Amino acid sequence: MARVLVVGAGLTGSLCAALLRRQTSGPLYLAVWDKAEDSGGRMTTASSPHNPQCTADLGAQYITCTPHYAKTHQSFYDELLAHDILRPLTSPIEGMVMKEGDCNFVASQGISSVIKHYLKESGAEVYFRHCVTQINLRNDKWEVSKQTGSPEQFDLIVLTMPVPQILQLQGDITNLISKCQRQQLEAVSYSARYALGLFYEAGTKIDVPWAGLYITGNPCIRFISIDNKKRNIESSEIGPSLVIHTTVPFGVTYLEHSIEDVQELIFQQLENILPGLPQPIATKCQKWRHSQVPSAGVILGYGKSPWMTAIGFIW
Ligand SMILES: Cc1cc2nc3c(=O)[nH]c(=O)nc-3n(C[C@H](O)[C@H](O)[C@H](O)COP(=O)(O)OP(=O)(O)OC[C@H]3O[C@@H](n4cnc5c(N)ncnc54)[C@H](O)[C@@H]3O)c2cc1C
C-alpha cells in the first residue's frame, strides 16, 4: 500500500489530503503531521477556556472569492456552502476595500471548520505535535524524522508549510532544491503580525455599529473584529469575542518581544480606539511570524488564492 505523508494541517494540507483521497482509487495510507496542537494553521480558531463555544478566528478572517476563482474553484465553494461551513459575509466591515465582482465568505463555526471538514473527508490519520526536522532518502523511500519519536518512511511527501519552514528542513531534501530554486524560495517574503483574541462573559455588550473595522493611522492596530458578529452567530448564551490584528510594522518591530509585553501594548492602543471596553474573561495572543505574502513568487505552486498556497511534492 502506498504511504503518503502530508506535512501541515492547514488549508493547503487538509485540502491536499482530501484531494489525494478523492483521486486515488487503490489502497492508500494517508497521514497528516503538524507541529501544532490542533488543525487550522493560519486559519486557526481559538476558544475561550471558559466556554468552548466562545471562539475567535485569530488568523484568516474571511475568504474572498474573485470572479475568476468563482469559476475555477466553483466546486470548492459549492461544497462548503452546501455543508453550511461557509456563508456569505453580510455584517458590516468598515474600511474594507472591495473590488467589483468579489464576494466574501465567513465560516460560522470558525474558519478552522473548513480545515476540519477536509481532514475528515480525507480519512487521514492526523497527528499533532509532530514537528518534521529532517527528510532523507533510504532504500528508495523518504524517511521523515520529527523532533521526538522514531523516523517513519513514506513513498510520497507533500510539504505545505510556509517556505522559510521548508528551507529549515535538514537531510537529503536540501540537495533536492537547486541553487536557483533556493534563491527563488529565499526571495519569498512574509509579513509578520500579532493577533489578540478577547473572550467575554455571556451578556456583555460591545456597542459598536460595525462587525469589523480597518484602522488607518494607528501605529499598532490595523483591524478589529467583533468576531461572533462578523460570523452572524450573536447569542445571549455565548459571550462575544474580539479579534485585534496589529499592523505589519508593529509585528516586525516587536517580533522577538515577550507575548505579555506585546499584549499590554495592544491593550493600551485599544483603549484609545475603543475607550471603556469591558474586561475580557480570557485572552489569547498569537504571533504570526509568517503571516501573509505581500508579493507572491510563482514557485512550487505558489498562488494568491487561499486554496493551495505553497506546496512542495517529493516523490
Ligand atoms: C493574521 C492573518 C490574517 C489573514 N487573513 C486572511 C483572510 O482574511 N483571508 C484569506 O484568504 N487569507 C488570510 N490569511 C492567509 C491564510 O490564513 C493563509 O493563506 C492560509 O491559511 C495558508 O494555509 P496553508 O495551509 O498553506 O499554510 P498554514 O496555515 O501556515 O499551514 C502550515 C502548517 O504547517 C505546520 N508546520 C510548519 N512547519 C512544520 C514542521 N516542521 N513540521 C510539521 N508541521 C509544520 C504549521 O503548524 C501549520 O499548521 C491570513 C493570515 C494571517 C496570519
Side-chain angles (χ1 to χ4, degrees), residues 7-13 33-36 40-43 58-63 130-132 160-162 165 169 193 245 288 290-292 306 309-310:
V7 185
L11 178 64
T12 311
W33 290 5
D34 199 296
K35 65 178 183 160
R42 282 172 281 160
M43 292 197 170
L58 293 184
Q61 296 296 301
Y62 44 82
I63 289 177
H130 275 42
C131 181
V132 173
T160 71
M161 55 270 228
Q165 288 167 332
L169 295 176
R193 281 181 203 282
H245 281 171
W288 294 114
H290 305 116
S291 176
Q292 288 131 297
T309 49

Side-chain angles (χ1 to χ4, degrees), residues 42 44 56-62 192-197 213-215 218-225 227 230 242-248 250-251 266 270 273 286 288 291-292:
R42 282 172 281 160
T44 190
D57 288 335
L58 293 184
Q61 296 296 301
Y62 44 82
R193 281 181 203 282
Y194 283 89
L196 178 61
L213 174 69
Y214 284 92
I215 293 156
N218 185 284
C220 169
I221 297 179
R222 173 67 183 123
F223 177 76
I224 305 176
S225 146
D227 208 56
K230 176 198 80 185
L242 240 80
V243 172
I244 297 109
H245 281 171
T246 69
T247 61
V248 172
F250 178 90
I266 300 173
L270 189 62
I273 299 166
Q286 167 89 44
W288 294 114
S291 176
Q292 288 131 297

Side-chain angles (χ1 to χ4, degrees), residues 55-266:
T55 55
D57 288 335
L58 293 184
Q61 296 296 301
Y62 44 82
I63 289 177
T64 305
C65 179
T66 63
H68 170 74
Y69 286 119
K71 281 193 202 130
T72 54
H73 292 167
Q74 191 192 348
S75 62
F76 298 109
Y77 286 105
D78 286 351
E79 180 188 334
L80 295 172
L81 289 165
H83 282 86
D84 198 25
I85 293 168
L86 288 188
R87 289 181 190 173
L89 167 69
T90 51
S91 359
I93 309 285
E94 273 187 27
M96 176 154 75
V97 181
M98 280 283 283
K99 291 205 188 108
E100 209 186 313
D102 283 3
C103 155
N104 292 308
F105 295 100
V106 284
S108 54
Q109 295 310 305
I111 198 81
S112 71
S113 61
V114 176
I115 284 85
K116 289 183 182 9
H117 166 77
Y118 287 129
L119 286 177
K120 189 172 168 210
E121 192 198 317
S122 76
E125 289 191 12
V126 184
Y127 295 90
F128 298 114
R129 292 174 288 273
H130 275 42
C131 181
V132 173
T133 53
Q134 276 199 43
I135 301 178
N136 289 296
L137 198 53
R138 297 252 188 279
N139 308 321
D140 276 349
K141 301 266 181 209
W142 291 107
E143 187 177 83
V144 187
S145 304
K146 46 192 183 312
Q147 239 161 28
T148 52
S150 320
E152 288 183 37
Q153 293 195 342
F154 295 90
D155 301 293
L156 169 69
I157 306 168
V158 185
L159 301 174
T160 71
M161 55 270 228
V163 171
Q165 288 167 332
I166 293 182
L167 293 177
Q168 278 165 16
L169 295 176
Q170 302 292 310
D172 294 334
I173 185 180
T174 53
N175 306 323
L176 270 186
I177 303 171
S178 70
K179 199 176 161 200
C180 171
Q181 281 173 330
R182 182 170 286 275
Q183 276 171 352
Q184 287 179 293
L185 287 168
E186 281 168 351
V188 181
S189 69
Y190 289 77
S191 57
R193 281 181 203 282
Y194 283 89
L196 178 61
L198 307 179
F199 303 99
Y200 292 88
E201 232 159 12
T204 310
K205 292 268 174 294
I206 296 174
D207 199 13
V208 291
W210 39 263
L213 174 69
Y214 284 92
I215 293 156
T216 47
N218 185 284
C220 169
I221 297 179
R222 173 67 183 123
F223 177 76
I224 305 176
S225 146
I226 317 294
D227 208 56
N228 56 323
K229 193 169 170 186
K230 176 198 80 185
R231 292 186 272 136
N232 247 327
I233 52 159
E234 284 171 292
S235 137
S236 55
E237 278 134 54
I238 303 163
S241 57
L242 240 80
V243 172
I244 297 109
H245 281 171
T246 69
T247 61
V248 172
F250 178 90
V252 173
T253 307
Y254 292 95
L255 199 55
E256 306 307 338
H257 285 233
S258 76
I259 285 283
E260 293 74 22
D261 287 354
V262 169
Q263 180 164 315
E264 186 49 40
L265 289 170
I266 300 173

